Amino acid sequence: HKLILSIEDNGVGFDIQQALRKGHHGLLNINQRALSIQANVEWSASRFTSGSCFKMSIPVTPAEPGSEPKLTGKLTAHGN
């Protein structure tokens, strides 16, 4: 069982390889946090076309009848 989160926009897009280069930490941080909860992350974007898409697949443990499903991994909040 898994929860799938998908976010798309119709913006200007971006170059994923450039965003993953040394000195750029946003996508790497998202990937590390996803791995900490055994989730998979996918991005699709292009600086030549409009928009980008972010998809995260998060494993969940099925709930017993009458209770809520639970994330398989540990999710923690990070604030500034």
Side-chain angles (χ1 to χ4, degrees):
H1 294 87
K2 58 187 164 184
L3 170 70
I4 297 176
L5 170 69
S6 180
I7 301 171
E8 296 182 44
D9 70 22
N10 60 351
V12 297
F14 65 98
D15 184 332
I16 293 173
Q17 293 306 313
Q18 183 176 347
L20 291 170
R21 288 191 185 130
K22 187 175 181 178
H24 298 272
H25 303 288
L27 298 183
L28 294 174
N29 287 341
I30 291 170
N31 192 49
Q32 288 175 343
R33 289 179 180 170
L35 289 173
S36 74
I37 60 169
Q38 292 92 41
N40 292 324
V41 177
E42 296 176 29
W43 292 274
S44 59
S46 172
R47 60 187 171 141
F48 304 110
T49 61
S50 294
S52 56
C53 178
F54 167 83
K55 188 182 285 187
M56 180 182 284
S57 176
I58 306 166
V60 294
T61 302
E64 296 293 324
S67 66
E68 297 291 321
K70 300 200 180 337
L71 290 175
T72 301
K74 180 180 178 187
L75 183 63
T76 56
H78 299 275
N80 294 351

